[in-house]
Amino acid sequence: MDSQIDKTPEVRHDPYAALRFFDFRLLLTGRFITSFGSEMVSFAIAWELWLRTHSAFALGLVGLVQVVPVILLSLPAGHVADQYNRRRIVLITQLSLGMCALGLAYLSYTEGPLLLVYLCLFGMGVSRAFNDPASSTLVPETVPPHLFSSAATWNSSTWHIASILGPTAAGIVVAFAGNVTYMYLFEVIGAITFTILLSRIKGKPLPLARKSATWSALIEGFKFMRDTKVILAAITLDMFAVLFGGAVALLPIYATDILHVGPQGMGVMRAAPSIGALLMAFAIAHLPPMKNAGKTLLWAVTGFGIATIIFGLSTSFLLSVAMLGLLGGLDNISVVIRGTLLLTHTPDEMRGRISGVNSIFIGISNELGSFESGFAAALLGPVIAVVGGGICTILVVLIAAKAWPEMRDLKTLDVPE
């Protein structure tokens, strides 16, 4: 029988504690399927645009058109998530993502104009801007507070499993089918499946905010993050590491022009960071809780920068894959620490707005990072762009360690008293 949310926590460390809740398993299953579809779409877009344009700038533009709506809409989207039924918001946005993916499938099949391709990607960005703040509130509905760290770890693991299988399957499809058209349909299937699973979750909804949509209410998320130094430091470190260390955005160039490994090799390289992250997630789940979380994060981001530099200089496929795996493992440490801090330090009635602010940081790091990498590669070449990004990441760690001593002193990730 499944555990109940109000059950008293056990003293013995249980790495599978969060997975013992049926609602949480439903949520993870839905997120795995949608993540798998998103990975297929990411692979398909990158590969198709590179073959059609051979332009690093065109690859970078993929990130830009998706991050603009996230930056512009995440604050109001977070406020909406704190005011209205969060599950209904997720349902609507998932169906919207599915429609945009269906449009990409049609444009791929007909070799439609690139302008419409970017328009569909922009639509996906709008949908995710509203989806992510509402979706982030679902985890606290499915597990008790003392299991937030376990939930964050398994949530990250699920995403990384999808990130391994998605690019691997995509590389196989391209190798045998010769096109990427049908990959977009996985996003459609994932969106429909997630909405069905979401309807079966019976967790107790969290309280909503009672404030009206004033400017003061909208920016409360920023004020909260500004005052909660450990969250601000963790998000800033993660943001700049991914922003400057955006090697993944340039993998089509490395696969074709530098390492000469084709679509199969690109599939392996796309999967490598997630393999490293998954191994790290299992290690975190089975090890005792972190006792020096702040210093662990600082060293992890430093290692991320060093691995990025080595990848940028490498002309060996095996070394490149190894560095990508290391990148994923070190990044996952950052993801788990940041995710746990957000869960444990955020009041229930502010989860939507805090997640909205977090979405802006993530969007800047992931999507704008892709644009930055593509733009830098177009100007300076891919090797200089990647190596320079790794150096900048290490410099950011030094600045953050000096600016936020609270992060250096952070010990545990437990719920604050």
Side-chain angles (χ1 to χ4, degrees):
M1 181 178 294
D2 293 306
S3 303
Q4 299 299 316
I5 287 186
D6 59 352
K7 185 177 180 180
T8 302
E10 296 181 6
V11 176
R12 180 178 60 85
H13 176 64
D14 181 4
Y16 304 98
L19 295 178
R20 303 189 190 283
F21 293 85
F22 180 67
D23 282 347
F24 185 66
R25 296 200 300 270
L26 285 176
L27 181 61
L28 282 192
T29 302
R31 286 184 170 176
F32 167 77
I33 296 172
T34 55
S35 297
F36 184 90
S38 296
E39 287 298 313
M40 296 286 277
V41 169
S42 296
F43 184 106
I45 282 291
W47 189 255
E48 189 168 23
L49 286 181
W50 177 247
L51 292 182
R52 288 183 64 177
T53 67
H54 284 280
S55 167
F57 184 77
L59 294 178
L61 198 58
V62 171
L64 182 64
V65 297
Q66 292 183 86
V67 76
V68 168
V70 171
I71 294 175
L72 295 179
L73 299 175
S74 285
L75 280 183
H79 188 78
V80 169
D82 281 339
Q83 294 284 331
Y84 301 101
N85 188 298
R86 290 154 171 172
R87 297 187 196 181
R88 191 173 301 163
I89 294 171
V90 175
L91 187 148
I92 294 172
T93 54
Q94 285 294 323
L95 293 178
S96 177
L97 283 168
M99 292 300 296
C100 292
L102 198 60
L104 289 173
Y106 175 77
L107 292 171
S108 176
Y109 181 74
T110 60
E111 295 189 3
L114 294 182
L115 179 62
L116 293 181
V117 172
Y118 287 118
L119 185 62
C120 286
L121 293 173
F122 182 83
M124 285 184 160
V126 173
S127 300
R128 286 177 179 139
F130 283 89
N131 177 82
D132 292 349
S135 180
S136 70
T137 67
L138 300 180
V139 170
E141 293 185 16
T142 59
V143 296
H146 71 276
L147 294 181
F148 282 168
S149 180
S150 175
T153 301
W154 287 111
N155 191 54
S156 172
S157 301
T158 299
W159 184 84
H160 286 299
I161 291 173
S163 298
I164 295 168
L165 298 180
T168 302
I172 294 173
V173 170
V174 173
F176 285 95
N179 66 75
V180 299
T181 299
Y182 297 105
M183 293 185 194
Y184 300 109
L185 299 179
F186 283 96
E187 179 83 343
V188 182
I189 296 171
I192 295 172
T193 303
F194 191 22
T195 58
I196 295 173
L197 294 173
L198 186 63
S199 67
R200 297 192 60 197
I201 294 179
K202 297 181 174 61
K204 183 179 179 180
L206 300 177
L208 299 176
R210 298 180 180 274
K211 294 185 178 181
S212 58
T214 63
W215 175 249
S216 176
L218 285 176
I219 64 174
E220 275 188 354
F222 275 115
K223 291 180 179 178
F224 179 85
M225 244 175 226
R226 179 198 62 193
D227 297 334
T228 312
K229 303 298 184 183
V230 290
I231 293 182
L232 180 61
I235 289 180
T236 301
L237 279 167
D238 185 76
M239 179 185 73
F240 281 105
V242 179
L243 176 65
F244 292 130
V248 173
L250 303 179
L251 287 185
I253 301 176
Y254 273 82
T256 56
D257 295 352
I258 297 177
L259 300 174
H260 308 289
V261 291
Q264 299 96 323
M266 179 177 164
V268 172
M269 288 194 293
R270 281 296 298 262
S274 293
I275 293 174
L278 183 62
L279 293 174
M280 181 62 72
F282 274 95
I284 293 173
H286 287 81
L287 290 172
M290 294 182 188
K291 298 187 182 297
N292 291 286
K295 291 180 180 178
T296 299
L297 176 60
L298 292 170
W299 280 112
V301 179
T302 301
F304 185 94
I306 295 172
T308 299
I309 295 171
I310 297 174
F311 171 81
L313 296 173
S314 172
T315 56
S316 165
F317 178 65
L318 291 179
L319 179 60
S320 297
V321 170
M323 287 302 103
L324 288 170
L326 183 58
L327 283 173
L330 295 171
D331 181 59
N332 192 66
I333 295 175
S334 174
V335 169
V336 169
I337 292 175
R338 185 193 72 226
T340 304
L341 290 173
L342 286 170
L343 286 171
T344 56
H345 286 67
T346 303
D348 288 338
E349 65 276 9
M350 288 187 65
R351 291 193 182 277
R353 278 164 291 174
I354 298 302
S355 180
V357 176
N358 186 47
S359 294
I360 294 176
F361 278 84
I362 293 175
I364 290 174
S365 63
N366 291 343
E367 312 302 347
L368 196 58
S370 296
F371 175 72
E372 180 272 333
S373 296
F375 184 73
L379 287 179
L380 307 171
V383 174
I384 295 178
V386 173
V387 172
I391 294 172
C392 289
T393 298
I394 297 173
L395 293 176
V396 168
V397 174
L398 297 175
I399 295 172
K402 180 71 173 178
W404 291 294
E406 296 86 353
M407 177 52 68
R408 298 198 313 266
D409 298 334
L410 177 65
K411 302 298 183 183
T412 178
L413 294 175
D414 292 338
V415 179
E417 298 295 337

